Amino acid sequence: MSERTPFEFTLSLGDDALIAAQRLAEWTTRAPEMEEDIALANIALDQLGAARLLLTYAGELEGAGRDEDALAYLRDDRQFRNCLLVELPNGDFAVTMAKLLFLSAYQLPLYTALAECADERLAAIGSKTRKESAYHLDHASLWVKRLGDGTEESHRRMQAAVDQVWPYVAELFAADPGAPVDPATLRAEFDATVAAVLTEATLTRPETGWAPAGGRDGVHTEHLSYLLAEMQVLHRAHPGAQW
Amino acid sequence: MNPREAAAAVVDPEIRVLTIDELGILRSVDEDPATGRVVVTITPTYTGCPAMDVIRADIRRALTAAGHPDVEVRTVHAPAWSTDWISESGRAKLAAAGIAPPQPVRPAGVVPLTLSVRCPRCGSPETEQLSHFGSTACKALWRCRSCSEPFDHLKAL
């Protein structure tokens, strides 16, 4: 990955949050119980809130007149900078919780570090979003423990989910020394958080082998295109429409 | 009515027993004595709070009705809103409306789970959390084991 501009760095964080929000919102009316339906919709809303702040700021950094809506709705897949992890399909509930555990265990130290960074706008956003990420991490941790240390079937499926999603973790921590927060510096805290949860959940952390990447350079899985088609169709069909 | 009083009287659209002042999201109200222009600064409870547009519109309407039609509403994110900013009167109103008020905020990090929240209906500490998340972004869903009633809890943030 080449060194990114402040615009690209902010855009990548905003895209992570936006795509995670869209995926989580797919659970609405489909979650295993009503409380969980509400929880996932709430977490999606938090991610969307973070995405709006980050994309608005990214647009200002770029200086080309693009606002949050232009960035969210009028870019094609190759112009998105989100990590592959967030665009992966939801799978079963265990896969969704594995994804949320890894995402929130990454976002919490990221936003916490941003809150102390020299960029005032990013610091303000980080100081706000880190509080919400703590709840997301807590929620995902509870479910991973409950399923991992549950029945034989829930344990099997939770371990399978962790194994399936784990390869996509490596991309989150690709070094970016010029960024306000270098993601590589967050890896140790992530590993400690995830190890504690997996141990309590009686789950095994997979070995890191295959490590797909490319999201930060706009090279995505085929899943992103379908997600964008659904997310963008209304805006593209009715440009400038308002409620 | 002066601009500060008019803005402070606006109620939160999702928790209608509280004013935005009691909720702690009204940060400042400044009037330029020369032009009469009023700048109201607010901060969201949660980044994705869908009530913010309604709150902005309600502030403009309240100030216009109070004789201050030239209004700018600014939104700031730092310092981040904390439930510690909810006033004492706000806490009492929440409890009276059946919403358990938040505890003092703990240090940053993963939220501890062993906190007891008193049932706002019967006062029993024998309660359990059903979900971290509730009917709005700022609330969690709890249930009282003594009187069996479910209730909202404004979670510490």
Side-chain angles (χ1 to χ4, degrees), chain A residues 35 38-39 42-43 45-46 48-50 53 108 124-125 127-129 131-132 134-139 142, chain B residues 44-48 50 77-78 80-82 109-111 113 130-134 136-137 141 155-157:
Chain A
E35 288 79 7
I38 295 168
N42 265 287
I43 295 171
L45 190 60
D46 288 344
L48 188 62
L53 297 178
L108 178 57
I125 294 170
S127 72
K128 185 76 203 146
T129 51
K131 293 181 167 205
E132 296 167 8
Y135 271 97
H136 306 168
L137 176 58
D138 206 33
H139 189 70
L142 276 175
Chain B
T45 54
Y46 283 72
T47 51
H77 295 93
W81 178 78
S82 162
V110 174
V111 181
L113 293 173
L130 295 177
S131 173
H132 272 97
F133 301 91
T136 66
L141 190 59
K155 57 197 184 193
L157 185 79

Side-chain angles (χ1 to χ4, degrees), chain B residues 1-20:
Chain B
M1 199 187 293
N2 76 41
R4 168 82 208 178
E5 287 168 357
V10 170
V11 296
D12 180 84
E14 287 186 337
I15 311 174
R16 299 199 62 87
V17 296
L18 288 191
T19 67
I20 59 172

Side-chain angles (χ1 to χ4, degrees), chain B residues 29-62:
Chain B
V29 181
D30 298 303
E31 183 180 20
D32 184 331
T35 63
R37 183 179 180 78
V38 179
V39 176
V40 180
T41 305
I42 55 175
T43 193
T45 54
Y46 283 72
T47 51
C49 179
M52 289 301 283
D53 287 336
V54 177
I55 292 171
R56 280 187 274 267
D58 287 350
I59 289 171
R60 282 196 198 91
R61 190 161 35 236

Side-chain angles (χ1 to χ4, degrees), chain A residues 92-114:
Chain A
D92 64 10
F93 187 69
V95 171
T96 291
M97 283 303 127
K99 285 175 63 182
L100 185 60
L101 173 67
F102 298 150
L103 178 67
S104 54
Y106 156 74
Q107 283 181 328
L108 178 57
L110 171 66
Y111 291 149
T112 302
L114 271 189

